[in-house]
């Protein structure tokens, strides 16, 4: 995998506060170590994945997730996708925020129309309401909340049913709000204004929630995305702050 174009070679556009200072704009040693782990012919595929994910756990480095994505998407010798997604789900359920994997879902898997649907189905699914006990349910809610919060770039038809399901789970309302907000503001964000407004109206959020009022205003006006009508959000924001 050495020498391949890295995830988002335009660099600065993908920088995000969650991983600022962790090498989001440069390619540190973690990528090279992950490349070596995933290319080690002495190990079978599951062992190579375990080693690479061990590096990810140790470093929480975005560039390690890039190497993992290249390995799973390799057209000639792909690593097993089922093992990859199982490892992702476990990390998304962990009590501690897995910053690099969540960031990678957002800027790589969800922004890419070729992988968005598969990735969303793999990391979210429809299992929240079927958790057998409280411990399992808490873990699944953590996973669902993290996925929904970065789901803005997903095509609306891919995520709408999951959004409707999440709207019935009060614990997921803050994450669903972040998903709707990202669906409007992300460069590749996608939503259907009327359906998004109907979901927004179902959320039990404090009236003073930041950006709640302007988001309702732009959706009511029928706007789909910040970049298609760049003046709409500043107007809505100013109106929400008027005395």
């Amino acid at each position: 995998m050495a020498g391949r174009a890295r995830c988002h070679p335009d660099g600065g556009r993908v920088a995000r506060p969650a991983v600022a200072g962790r090498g989001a704009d440069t390619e540190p040693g973690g990528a090279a170590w992950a490349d070596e782990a995933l290319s080690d012919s002495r190990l079978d595929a599951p062992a190579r994945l375990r080693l690479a994910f061990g590096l990810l756990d140790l470093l929480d480095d975005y560039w390690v997730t890039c190497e993992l994505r290249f390995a799973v998407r390799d057209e000639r010798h792909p690593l097993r996708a089922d093992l990859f997604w199982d490892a992702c789900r476990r990390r998304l359920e962990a009590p501690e925020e897995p910053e690099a994997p969540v960031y990678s879902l957002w800027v790589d898997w969800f922004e890419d129309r070729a992988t968005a649907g598969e990735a969303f189905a793999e990391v979210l699914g429809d299992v929240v309401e079927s958790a057998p006990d409280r411990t399992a349910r808490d873990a699944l809610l953590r996973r669902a909340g993290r996925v929904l919060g970065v789901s803005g770039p997903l095509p609306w038809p891919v995520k709408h049913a999951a959004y409707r399901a999440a709207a019935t789970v009060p614990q997921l309302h803050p994450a669903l709000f972040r998903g709707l907000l990202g669906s409007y503001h992300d460069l590749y964000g996608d939503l259907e204004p009327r359906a998004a407004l109907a979901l927004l109206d179902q959320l039990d959020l404090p009236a003073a929630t930041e950006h709640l009022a302007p988001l309702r205003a732009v959706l009511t006006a029928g706007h789909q995305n910040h970049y298609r009508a760049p003046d709409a959000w500043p107007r809505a924001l100013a109106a929400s702050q008027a005395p």
Side-chain angles (χ1 to χ4, degrees), residues 13-187:
R13 191 185 68 77
V14 304
R16 193 184 195 197
V19 291
R22 294 175 178 266
D25 297 315
T26 59
E27 189 176 340
W33 298 335
D35 188 14
E36 289 296 323
L38 292 165
S39 304
D40 193 336
S41 60
R42 298 170 299 177
L43 303 175
D44 61 15
R48 295 200 300 274
L49 271 176
R50 285 195 300 271
L51 184 56
F53 270 104
L55 281 169
L56 180 59
D57 294 339
L58 179 65
L59 302 173
D60 198 23
D61 185 339
Y62 166 67
W63 293 106
V64 175
T65 71
C66 286
E67 294 298 333
L68 281 161
R69 186 171 188 264
F70 292 145
V72 173
R73 299 279 293 163
D74 191 307
E75 294 182 357
R76 294 173 301 172
H77 305 291
L79 292 181
R80 286 179 53 184
D82 60 329
L83 298 179
F84 169 79
W85 290 118
D86 182 62
C88 288
R89 287 188 291 268
R90 291 199 305 273
R91 282 153 180 84
L92 289 167
E93 293 173 2
E96 184 176 349
E97 177 80 13
E99 293 180 357
V102 171
Y103 179 77
S104 178
L105 279 176
W106 178 47
V107 302
D108 295 325
W109 294 97
F110 289 173
E111 284 192 356
D112 186 345
R113 291 296 189 262
T115 60
E118 171 198 359
F120 191 55
E122 289 286 356
V123 294
L124 187 61
D126 56 358
V127 294
V128 171
E129 297 176 355
S130 62
D133 55 54
R134 181 176 179 82
T135 299
R137 181 173 174 81
D138 287 347
L140 291 171
L141 286 171
R142 284 194 294 269
R143 169 160 44 113
R146 288 160 178 166
V147 172
L148 290 168
V150 295
S151 62
L154 289 160
W156 186 254
V158 169
K159 62 193 176 187
H160 188 200
Y163 277 20
R164 289 200 307 267
T168 69
V169 183
Q171 299 97 315
L172 292 177
H173 285 188
L176 180 53
F177 174 70
R178 294 194 300 274
L180 289 168
L181 192 64
S183 297
Y184 182 78
H185 275 294
D186 280 359
L187 180 62

